[in-house]
Amino acid sequence: MNKEALVKSLQEIAGKEHVVFAEEDLVCYAFNARSRRMSTPPVAAVSPATAREVSQILALANEHGVPVMVQGRGSCLADNLTIERPGSLLLSMNRFLKLEIDPDTLTAVVGPGVITHDIKKAAERHGLFYPPDPASFTYCTIGGNVATDAGGLQCVKYGTTKQYVAGLEIVLPDGRIIRTGGKCIKDVAGYNLTQLFVGSEGTLGVVTEIILKLIPLPEGKKAMLVLFDNLENAARAISRIMISGVTPSVMEYMDEVIIDAVEDVAHLGFPSHAQAMLLIEVDGALSTLASQVEIVSDVCNRLGAIEIRVANSSKETENVWMARRICMQALTRKAKGRFSGDPAAPIDKLADCVLKVKDLGLKHSIITACYGHAGDGNMHPCFLFNNDAEKERARQASGEFYEFVVSIGGTVSAEHGIGHEKPHYMHLQFGDAQMDIMKGIKRLIDPMGIMNPGCLFDEARHE
Ligand code: LAC
Ligand code: ZN
């Protein structure tokens, strides 16, 4: 299908003002938060407003073999949205803005274009809580969170996006519209198609509406900052806290390189003498907070914490979380580039992981850094480089770390997804049988291979 005919059909479906096709405008769609390079711009970008319009667009694309990429705010971190095929169509979901809280069933019905922060705020007005909080939650969309099963800081206690998705409206590549799940608390009927689509990264269809579960808002919370002069002890404290009877609502780990990078930017008086810092938050009934803090402090002291600071005000708490959320950006000042990612290991293996990152840095003569949502075993190991030679060594070190993580029972992606960044690591985690099942599902639902080609699997179309 030539560009002119495609644009004309899209304009008929979504309205002229919702189709972008000038080359200079389309360049803006060729970036995402992860890429430092421009990918191929799409041939056109369309912003439909209803499932029916999406259905017509997909049916058209399917008939003519036009690759379709679905976009929220482009904040993905695994190149989940990287246009590889010339002639791709970009489908922006930013006009899907429904946001209804249903306090009687503890659910929300939302459009994929809604910013995650807005859902949290709307739920809070009813005394309810939507917990998943990717570091980007003030600007990412719930559609992207569902597509990647996004995680975040509070997942250590509350789980990732999938635990809150109760139902979906989905447009399949051939244009059929289905509704999966619903507002029932219990529902075991049939295969769980809702969860199949969560984390499918735009490779199976387009989500046009989401039913989310909400929970009661905890009464209070308390943040703490704990310093260690020994990496290993900090990592051991994390796994001990998790089995102490207290489940922190946040438990983040930052090593000295990250502490320094964040302090350079945020000037919060973070200590320069610590090798590792844990940022911990406990939440729940106000009457329980002091004892939770005591139990956590006790574990940390027994493992040789050199300082424990408990936040005294919500301003102090906010500063701590702001500092944590800018780790990734702060690190850009430390080196020209880095190989990073989002692997996770069982929590009893965390100490091995942080030591492995350091070892790999020494082995390959590169600077490393490590931070992450350590309470659930999810790290962001960073292998930094400033020139081409270092880049090659950093790539090698990063690959060796992924192999190590899988060898100790970990996963190659705990929260960002596979995207176009990590398809080559899929084989590390999944044997032939599982890869065959996944490819079979893709082939069944998207036989023309139009949905986000190149994502998850190495093949463009399926053999
Ligand atoms: C974070 C992103 C990188 O946790 O997931 O900051
Ligand atoms: Zn993260």
Side-chain angles (χ1 to χ4, degrees), residues 21-102:
F21 57 92
E23 269 171 40
E24 61 274 25
D25 295 330
L26 291 167
V27 167
C28 308
Y29 294 90
F31 294 90
N32 63 48
R34 164 73 175 71
S35 288
R36 276 178 209 91
R37 66 181 169 90
M38 192 172 101
S39 66
T40 313
V43 68
V46 58
S47 306
T50 64
R52 201 177 137 67
E53 288 176 8
V54 174
S55 160
Q56 290 172 334
I57 293 166
L58 290 197
L60 179 78
N62 203 41
E63 189 187 334
H64 296 279
V66 177
V68 178
M69 319 291 297
V70 188
Q71 189 189 54
R73 293 289 170 117
S75 60
C76 53
L77 288 176
D79 274 338
N80 315 66
L81 180 71
T82 294
I83 299 172
E84 287 185 344
R85 308 276 182 282
S88 292
L89 171 63
L90 190 129
L91 199 64
S92 165
M93 301 308 284
N94 289 327
R95 291 177 67 214
F96 283 78
L97 296 174
K98 182 186 218 175
L99 173 47
E100 290 172 4
I101 305 293
D102 180 355

Coordinates of all heavy atoms in Angstrom, one line a residue, residues 21-102:
F21 N 1.7 13.0 8.8 CA 2.4 12.3 7.7 C 3.5 13.1 7.1 O 4.3 12.5 6.3 CB 1.4 11.8 6.6 CG 0.6 12.9 6.0 CD1 1.1 13.6 4.9 CD2 -0.6 13.3 6.5 CE1 0.4 14.6 4.3 CE2 -1.3 14.4 6.0 CZ -0.8 15.0 4.9
A22 N 3.7 14.3 7.5 CA 4.9 15.1 7.0 C 6.2 14.5 7.6 O 6.2 14.3 8.8 CB 4.7 16.6 7.3
E23 N 7.2 14.4 6.7 CA 8.4 13.7 7.2 C 9.0 14.5 8.4 O 9.5 13.8 9.3 CB 9.4 13.7 6.1 CG 9.3 12.4 5.3 CD 10.1 12.3 4.0 OE1 11.3 12.8 4.0 OE2 9.6 11.8 3.0
E24 N 9.0 15.8 8.4 CA 9.7 16.5 9.5 C 8.9 16.3 10.8 O 9.5 16.3 11.9 CB 9.8 18.0 9.1 CG 8.5 18.8 8.9 CD 8.0 18.7 7.5 OE1 8.4 17.7 6.8 OE2 7.3 19.6 7.0
D25 N 7.6 16.1 10.7 CA 6.9 15.8 11.9 C 7.1 14.4 12.4 O 7.1 14.1 13.6 CB 5.4 16.0 11.7 CG 5.0 17.4 11.4 OD1 5.7 18.3 11.9 OD2 4.1 17.7 10.6
L26 N 7.3 13.5 11.5 CA 7.4 12.0 11.8 C 8.7 11.7 12.5 O 8.8 10.8 13.3 CB 7.2 11.2 10.6 CG 5.8 11.2 10.0 CD1 5.7 10.6 8.7 CD2 4.8 10.4 11.0
V27 N 9.7 12.6 12.3 CA 11.0 12.4 12.9 C 10.9 12.3 14.5 O 11.5 11.6 15.2 CB 12.0 13.5 12.5 CG1 13.3 13.5 13.4 CG2 12.4 13.4 11.1
C28 N 9.9 13.1 15.0 CA 9.7 13.2 16.4 C 9.3 11.8 17.0 O 9.4 11.6 18.2 CB 8.6 14.2 16.8 SG 8.8 15.8 16.1
Y29 N 8.7 11.0 16.1 CA 8.3 9.7 16.6 C 9.4 8.6 16.5 O 9.1 7.4 16.8 CB 7.1 9.2 15.8 CG 5.8 10.0 16.0 CD1 5.6 11.1 15.1 CD2 4.9 9.7 16.9 CE1 4.5 11.9 15.3 CE2 3.8 10.5 17.1 CZ 3.6 11.6 16.3 OH 2.4 12.3 16.5
A30 N 10.6 9.0 16.2 CA 11.6 8.0 15.9 C 12.5 7.8 17.1 O 13.6 7.2 17.1 CB 12.5 8.4 14.7
F31 N 12.1 8.4 18.3 CA 12.9 8.2 19.5 C 12.1 7.6 20.6 O 10.9 7.7 20.6 CB 13.4 9.6 20.0 CG 14.3 10.3 19.1 CD1 13.8 11.1 18.1 CD2 15.7 10.1 19.2 CE1 14.7 11.8 17.2 CE2 16.6 10.7 18.3 CZ 16.1 11.6 17.3
N32 N 12.8 6.9 21.6 CA 12.2 6.6 22.8 C 13.2 6.9 23.9 O 14.3 7.3 23.7 CB 11.7 5.1 22.8 CG 12.9 4.2 22.7 OD1 13.9 4.3 23.4 ND2 12.8 3.2 21.8
A33 N 12.7 6.7 25.2 CA 13.6 7.1 26.3 C 14.9 6.3 26.4 O 15.9 6.8 27.0 CB 12.8 6.9 27.6
R34 N 14.9 5.1 25.8 CA 16.1 4.3 25.9 C 17.1 4.6 24.8 O 18.3 4.6 25.0 CB 15.7 2.8 25.8 CG 16.7 1.8 25.5 CD 17.6 1.6 26.7 NE 18.6 0.5 26.5 CZ 19.6 0.6 25.7 NH1 19.8 1.7 25.0 NH2 20.5 -0.4 25.5
S35 N 16.6 4.9 23.6 CA 17.5 5.0 22.5 C 18.3 6.3 22.5 O 17.8 7.3 22.8 CB 16.7 5.1 21.2 OG 16.2 3.8 20.9
R36 N 19.6 6.1 22.2 CA 20.3 7.4 21.9 C 20.5 7.6 20.4 O 21.2 8.5 20.0 CB 21.7 7.3 22.7 CG 21.5 7.7 24.1 CD 22.8 7.6 24.9 NE 22.4 7.3 26.2 CZ 22.2 6.1 26.7 NH1 22.5 5.0 26.0 NH2 21.8 5.9 27.9
R37 N 19.8 6.8 19.7 CA 19.9 6.9 18.2 C 18.5 7.0 17.7 O 17.5 6.6 18.3 CB 20.6 5.8 17.6 CG 19.8 4.5 17.8 CD 20.6 3.3 17.2 NE 19.9 2.1 17.6 CZ 18.9 1.5 16.9 NH1 18.5 2.0 15.8 NH2 18.4 0.4 17.4
M38 N 18.4 7.6 16.5 CA 17.0 7.7 15.9 C 16.7 6.4 15.2 O 17.6 5.8 14.5 CB 17.1 8.8 14.9 CG 15.8 9.2 14.4 SD 15.9 10.7 13.4 CE 15.9 10.0 11.8
S39 N 15.6 5.9 15.4 CA 15.2 4.7 14.6 C 14.5 5.2 13.3 O 14.4 6.4 13.1 CB 14.3 3.8 15.4 OG 13.0 4.4 15.6
T40 N 14.1 4.3 12.5 CA 13.4 4.7 11.2 C 12.1 5.4 11.6 O 11.3 4.9 12.3 CB 13.0 3.4 10.4 OG1 14.2 2.6 10.4 CG2 12.6 3.8 9.0
P41 N 11.9 6.6 11.1 CA 10.6 7.3 11.4 C 9.5 6.5 10.7 O 9.6 5.8 9.7 CB 10.7 8.6 10.7 CG 12.2 8.8 10.5 CD 12.7 7.5 10.2
P42 N 8.3 6.5 11.3 CA 7.1 5.8 10.7 C 6.7 6.5 9.4 O 7.1 7.6 9.2 CB 6.0 5.9 11.8 CG 6.4 7.2 12.6 CD 7.9 7.3 12.5
V43 N 5.9 5.8 8.6 CA 5.4 6.4 7.4 C 4.3 7.3 7.7 O 4.0 8.3 7.0 CB 5.1 5.3 6.4 CG1 3.8 4.5 6.8 CG2 4.9 5.8 5.0
A44 N 3.6 7.1 8.8 CA 2.5 7.9 9.3 C 2.2 7.6 10.7 O 2.6 6.5 11.2 CB 1.2 7.7 8.4
A45 N 1.6 8.6 11.4 CA 1.2 8.4 12.8 C -0.2 8.7 12.9 O -0.7 9.8 12.4 CB 2.1 9.2 13.8
V46 N -1.0 7.9 13.6 CA -2.4 8.1 13.7 C -2.8 8.0 15.2 O -2.3 7.2 15.9 CB -3.2 7.1 12.8 CG1 -2.9 5.6 13.2 CG2 -4.7 7.3 12.9
S47 N -3.7 8.9 15.6 CA -4.2 8.9 16.9 C -5.7 8.6 17.0 O -6.5 9.6 17.0 CB -4.0 10.3 17.6 OG -2.6 10.6 17.5
P48 N -6.1 7.4 17.0 CA -7.6 7.1 17.0 C -8.1 7.4 18.4 O -7.4 7.6 19.3 CB -7.6 5.6 16.7 CG -6.3 5.1 17.2 CD -5.3 6.2 17.0
A49 N -9.5 7.3 18.5 CA -10.1 7.6 19.8 C -11.0 6.5 20.3 O -11.4 6.6 21.5 CB -10.8 9.0 19.7
T50 N -11.3 5.6 19.5 CA -12.2 4.5 19.9 C -11.6 3.1 19.5 O -10.8 3.0 18.5 CB -13.6 4.6 19.2 OG1 -13.4 4.5 17.8 CG2 -14.2 6.0 19.6
A51 N -12.1 2.1 20.2 CA -11.7 0.7 19.8 C -12.1 0.4 18.3 O -11.4 -0.3 17.6 CB -12.4 -0.3 20.7
R52 N -13.3 1.0 18.0 CA -13.8 0.8 16.6 C -12.8 1.3 15.5 O -12.5 0.7 14.5 CB -15.1 1.4 16.4 CG -15.9 0.8 15.3 CD -17.3 1.4 15.3 NE -17.7 1.8 13.9 CZ -17.9 0.8 12.9 NH1 -17.8 -0.4 13.2 NH2 -18.1 1.2 11.7
E53 N -12.3 2.5 15.8 CA -11.3 3.1 14.9 C -10.0 2.3 14.9 O -9.4 2.0 13.8 CB -11.0 4.6 15.3 CG -12.1 5.5 15.1 CD -11.8 7.0 15.5 OE1 -10.7 7.3 16.0 OE2 -12.8 7.8 15.5
V54 N -9.6 1.8 16.1 CA -8.4 1.0 16.1 C -8.6 -0.3 15.3 O -7.8 -0.8 14.5 CB -8.0 0.6 17.6 CG1 -6.8 -0.4 17.6 CG2 -7.6 1.9 18.3
S55 N -9.8 -0.8 15.4 CA -10.2 -2.1 14.7 C -10.1 -1.9 13.2 O -9.5 -2.7 12.5 CB -11.6 -2.5 15.1 OG -12.1 -3.3 14.2
Q56 N -10.6 -0.7 12.7 CA -10.5 -0.5 11.3 C -9.1 -0.3 10.8 O -8.7 -0.7 9.7 CB -11.3 0.8 11.0 CG -12.8 0.6 11.1 CD -13.6 1.8 11.0 OE1 -13.2 2.9 11.2 NE2 -14.9 1.7 10.6
I57 N -8.3 0.4 11.7 CA -6.9 0.7 11.3 C -6.1 -0.7 11.2 O -5.4 -0.9 10.3 CB -6.2 1.6 12.3 CG1 -6.9 3.0 12.2 CG2 -4.7 1.7 12.1 CD1 -6.5 3.9 13.4
L58 N -6.3 -1.5 12.3 CA -5.6 -2.8 12.2 C -6.0 -3.7 11.1 O -5.2 -4.4 10.5 CB -5.7 -3.5 13.6 CG -5.0 -2.9 14.8 CD1 -4.9 -4.0 15.9 CD2 -3.6 -2.4 14.5
A59 N -7.3 -3.7 10.8 CA -7.8 -4.5 9.7 C -7.1 -4.1 8.4 O -6.7 -4.9 7.6 CB -9.3 -4.4 9.6
L60 N -7.0 -2.8 8.2 CA -6.4 -2.2 7.0 C -4.9 -2.6 7.0 O -4.4 -3.1 6.0 CB -6.5 -0.7 7.1 CG -5.9 0.1 6.0 CD1 -6.8 0.1 4.7 CD2 -5.6 1.6 6.4
A61 N -4.2 -2.4 8.1 CA -2.8 -2.8 8.2 C -2.6 -4.3 7.9 O -1.6 -4.7 7.2 CB -2.2 -2.4 9.6
N62 N -3.4 -5.1 8.5 CA -3.3 -6.5 8.4 C -3.5 -6.9 6.9 O -2.7 -7.8 6.4 CB -4.4 -7.2 9.2 CG -4.0 -8.6 9.6 OD1 -2.9 -8.9 9.9 ND2 -5.0 -9.5 9.6
E63 N -4.4 -6.3 6.3 CA -4.7 -6.7 4.9 C -3.5 -6.3 4.0 O -3.2 -7.1 3.0 CB -6.0 -5.9 4.4 CG -6.5 -6.3 3.1 CD -7.6 -5.4 2.6 OE1 -8.3 -4.8 3.4 OE2 -7.8 -5.3 1.3
H64 N -2.9 -5.2 4.3 CA -1.8 -4.7 3.4 C -0.4 -5.0 4.0 O 0.6 -4.6 3.4 CB -1.9 -3.2 3.2 CG -3.2 -2.9 2.4 ND1 -3.3 -3.1 1.1 CD2 -4.4 -2.5 2.9 CE1 -4.5 -2.7 0.7 NE2 -5.2 -2.4 1.8
G65 N -0.3 -5.8 5.1 CA 1.0 -6.1 5.7 C 1.8 -4.9 6.2 O 3.0 -4.9 6.1
V66 N 1.1 -3.9 6.7 CA 1.8 -2.7 7.2 C 2.2 -3.0 8.7 O 1.3 -3.2 9.5 CB 0.9 -1.5 7.2 CG1 1.6 -0.2 7.8 CG2 0.4 -1.2 5.7
P67 N 3.5 -2.9 9.1 CA 3.8 -3.1 10.5 C 3.2 -2.0 11.4 O 3.2 -0.8 10.9 CB 5.4 -3.0 10.5 CG 5.8 -3.1 9.0 CD 4.6 -2.6 8.2
V68 N 2.8 -2.3 12.5 CA 2.1 -1.4 13.4 C 2.8 -1.3 14.8 O 3.1 -2.3 15.4 CB 0.6 -1.8 13.7 CG1 0.0 -0.8 14.7 CG2 -0.1 -1.8 12.4
M69 N 3.2 -0.1 15.2 CA 3.9 0.1 16.5 C 2.9 0.9 17.3 O 2.4 1.9 16.9 CB 5.2 0.9 16.3 CG 6.0 0.5 15.1 SD 6.7 -1.1 15.3 CE 7.8 -0.8 16.7
V70 N 2.7 0.5 18.6 CA 1.8 1.2 19.4 C 2.5 2.1 20.4 O 3.4 1.6 21.1 CB 0.9 0.2 20.2 CG1 -0.3 0.9 20.9 CG2 0.3 -0.8 19.2
Q71 N 2.1 3.3 20.6 CA 2.9 4.2 21.4 C 2.0 4.9 22.5 O 0.9 5.3 22.2 CB 3.5 5.3 20.6 CG 4.5 6.2 21.3 CD 5.0 7.4 20.5 OE1 4.2 8.2 20.1 NE2 6.3 7.5 20.4
G72 N 2.6 5.0 23.7 CA 2.0 5.8 24.7 C 2.8 7.1 24.8 O 2.6 8.0 24.0
R73 N 3.7 7.2 25.8 CA 4.6 8.4 25.9 C 6.0 8.2 25.5 O 6.9 9.0 25.8 CB 4.5 9.0 27.3 CG 3.1 9.6 27.7 CD 2.9 10.9 26.9 NE 1.5 11.3 27.0 CZ 1.2 12.5 27.6 NH1 2.0 13.3 28.1 NH2 -0.1 12.8 27.7
G74 N 6.3 7.0 25.0 CA 7.7 6.7 24.6 C 8.7 6.6 25.7 O 9.9 6.8 25.5
S75 N 8.2 6.3 26.9 CA 9.2 6.3 28.0 C 9.8 4.9 28.3 O 10.5 4.6 29.3 CB 8.5 6.7 29.3 OG 7.4 5.9 29.6
C76 N 9.5 4.0 27.3 CA 10.0 2.6 27.5 C 11.5 2.6 27.6 O 12.2 3.4 27.0 CB 9.6 1.8 26.3 SG 10.0 2.5 24.7
L77 N 12.1 1.6 28.3 CA 13.5 1.5 28.6 C 14.2 0.3 27.9 O 15.4 0.1 28.2 CB 13.7 1.5 30.1 CG 13.5 2.9 30.8 CD1 13.6 2.8 32.3 CD2 14.4 3.9 30.2
A78 N 13.5 -0.5 27.2 CA 14.2 -1.6 26.5 C 14.0 -1.6 25.0 O 13.9 -2.6 24.4 CB 13.6 -3.0 27.1
D79 N 13.9 -0.3 24.5 CA 13.7 -0.2 23.1 C 12.4 -1.0 22.7 O 12.4 -1.5 21.6 CB 14.9 -0.6 22.2 CG 15.9 0.5 22.1 OD1 15.6 1.6 22.2 OD2 17.1 0.1 21.8
N80 N 11.4 -1.0 23.5 CA 10.2 -1.7 23.2 C 9.5 -1.1 22.0 O 8.8 -1.8 21.3 CB 9.2 -1.7 24.4 CG 9.9 -1.9 25.7 OD1 10.8 -1.1 26.2 ND2 9.7 -3.0 26.4
L81 N 9.8 0.1 21.8 CA 9.2 0.8 20.6 C 10.3 1.4 19.8 O 10.7 2.5 19.9 CB 8.2 1.9 21.1 CG 7.5 2.7 20.0 CD1 6.5 1.8 19.3 CD2 6.8 3.9 20.5
T82 N 10.8 0.6 18.9 CA 11.9 1.0 18.0 C 11.5 0.6 16.6 O 11.3 -0.6 16.4 CB 13.2 0.3 18.4 OG1 13.6 0.8 19.7 CG2 14.3 0.7 17.4
I83 N 11.3 1.5 15.8 CA 10.8 1.2 14.5 C 12.0 0.6 13.6 O 12.9 1.4 13.3 CB 10.1 2.4 13.8 CG1 9.0 2.8 14.7 CG2 9.7 2.0 12.4 CD1 8.3 4.1 14.3
E84 N 11.9 -0.6 13.2 CA 12.9 -1.2 12.4 C 12.5 -1.4 11.0 O 13.4 -1.3 10.1 CB 13.3 -2.6 13.0 CG 14.0 -2.5 14.3 CD 14.5 -3.9 14.8 OE1 13.9 -4.9 14.4 OE2 15.3 -3.9 15.7
R85 N 11.2 -1.5 10.8 CA 10.8 -1.8 9.4 C 10.4 -0.4 8.7 O 9.5 0.3 9.3 CB 9.6 -2.7 9.3 CG 9.7 -4.0 10.1 CD 10.4 -5.0 9.3 NE 10.4 -6.3 10.0 CZ 11.3 -6.5 11.0 NH1 12.2 -5.6 11.4 NH2 11.3 -7.6 11.7
P86 N 11.0 -0.1 7.6 CA 10.5 1.0 6.8 C 9.0 0.8 6.5 O 8.6 -0.3 6.3 CB 11.3 1.1 5.6 CG 12.4 0.0 5.7 CD 12.0 -0.9 6.8
G87 N 8.2 1.9 6.4 CA 6.8 1.8 6.1 C 6.0 1.4 7.3 O 4.8 1.0 7.1
S88 N 6.5 1.5 8.5 CA 5.7 1.2 9.7 C 4.7 2.3 10.0 O 4.9 3.5 9.8 CB 6.6 1.0 10.9 OG 7.4 -0.1 10.8
L89 N 3.6 1.9 10.6 CA 2.5 2.8 11.0 C 2.6 3.0 12.5 O 2.7 2.0 13.3 CB 1.2 2.3 10.6 CG 0.0 3.0 11.2 CD1 -0.1 4.5 10.6 CD2 -1.3 2.3 10.7
L90 N 2.6 4.2 13.0 CA 2.6 4.4 14.5 C 1.2 4.8 15.0 O 0.6 5.6 14.4 CB 3.6 5.6 14.8 CG 3.8 5.6 16.3 CD1 5.3 5.7 16.7 CD2 3.1 6.8 16.9
L91 N 0.8 4.0 16.0 CA -0.5 4.2 16.5 C -0.4 4.8 17.9 O 0.1 4.2 18.8 CB -1.1 2.8 16.6 CG -2.6 2.6 16.8 CD1 -3.3 3.1 15.5 CD2 -3.0 1.2 17.0
S92 N -0.7 6.1 18.0 CA -0.6 6.7 19.3 C -1.9 6.5 20.1 O -3.0 6.8 19.6 CB -0.4 8.2 19.1 OG -0.6 8.9 20.3
M93 N -1.8 6.2 21.4 CA -3.0 5.9 22.2 C -3.3 7.0 23.1 O -4.1 6.9 24.1 CB -2.8 4.6 23.0 CG -2.5 3.4 22.2 SD -3.7 3.1 20.9 CE -5.0 2.4 21.9
N94 N -2.8 8.2 22.8 CA -2.9 9.3 23.8 C -4.3 10.0 23.8 O -4.5 10.9 24.6 CB -1.8 10.3 23.5 CG -0.5 9.8 24.0 OD1 -0.4 9.0 25.0 ND2 0.6 10.1 23.3
R95 N -5.2 9.5 23.0 CA -6.6 10.1 23.1 C -7.5 9.1 23.9 O -8.7 9.4 24.0 CB -7.2 10.3 21.7 CG -6.4 11.5 21.0 CD -6.9 11.7 19.6 NE -8.3 12.1 19.5 CZ -9.2 11.7 18.5 NH1 -8.8 10.9 17.6 NH2 -10.4 12.2 18.5
F96 N -6.9 8.0 24.3 CA -7.7 7.1 25.2 C -7.6 7.5 26.6 O -6.7 7.0 27.3 CB -7.3 5.6 24.9 CG -7.8 5.1 23.6 CD1 -7.2 5.4 22.4 CD2 -8.9 4.2 23.6 CE1 -7.6 4.9 21.2 CE2 -9.3 3.7 22.4 CZ -8.7 4.0 21.2
L97 N -8.4 8.4 27.1 CA -8.2 9.1 28.4 C -9.3 8.8 29.4 O -9.4 9.5 30.4 CB -8.0 10.6 28.2 CG -6.8 10.9 27.3 CD1 -6.8 12.4 27.0 CD2 -5.5 10.5 28.0
K98 N -10.1 7.7 29.2 CA -11.1 7.4 30.2 C -10.5 7.1 31.6 O -9.4 6.4 31.6 CB -11.9 6.2 29.7 CG -13.0 5.8 30.6 CD -13.6 4.4 30.1 CE -15.0 4.4 30.2 NZ -15.6 3.2 29.6
L99 N -11.0 7.7 32.6 CA -10.5 7.4 34.0 C -11.7 7.4 35.0 O -12.1 8.5 35.4 CB -9.5 8.5 34.3 CG -8.9 8.5 35.8 CD1 -8.5 7.1 36.2 CD2 -7.7 9.4 35.9
E100 N -12.2 6.2 35.2 CA -13.3 6.1 36.2 C -13.0 5.2 37.3 O -12.5 4.1 37.1 CB -14.5 5.4 35.4 CG -15.1 6.3 34.4 CD -16.2 5.6 33.5 OE1 -16.5 4.4 33.8 OE2 -16.7 6.2 32.5
I101 N -13.1 5.7 38.5 CA -12.9 4.9 39.7 C -14.2 4.4 40.2 O -15.2 5.1 40.3 CB -12.3 5.8 40.9 CG1 -11.0 6.6 40.4 CG2 -12.0 5.0 42.1 CD1 -9.8 5.7 40.1
D102 N -14.2 3.1 40.5 CA -15.5 2.5 41.0 C -15.2 2.0 42.4 O -14.7 0.8 42.6 CB -15.8 1.3 40.1 CG -17.1 0.6 40.5 OD1 -17.6 1.0 41.6 OD2 -17.6 -0.3 39.8

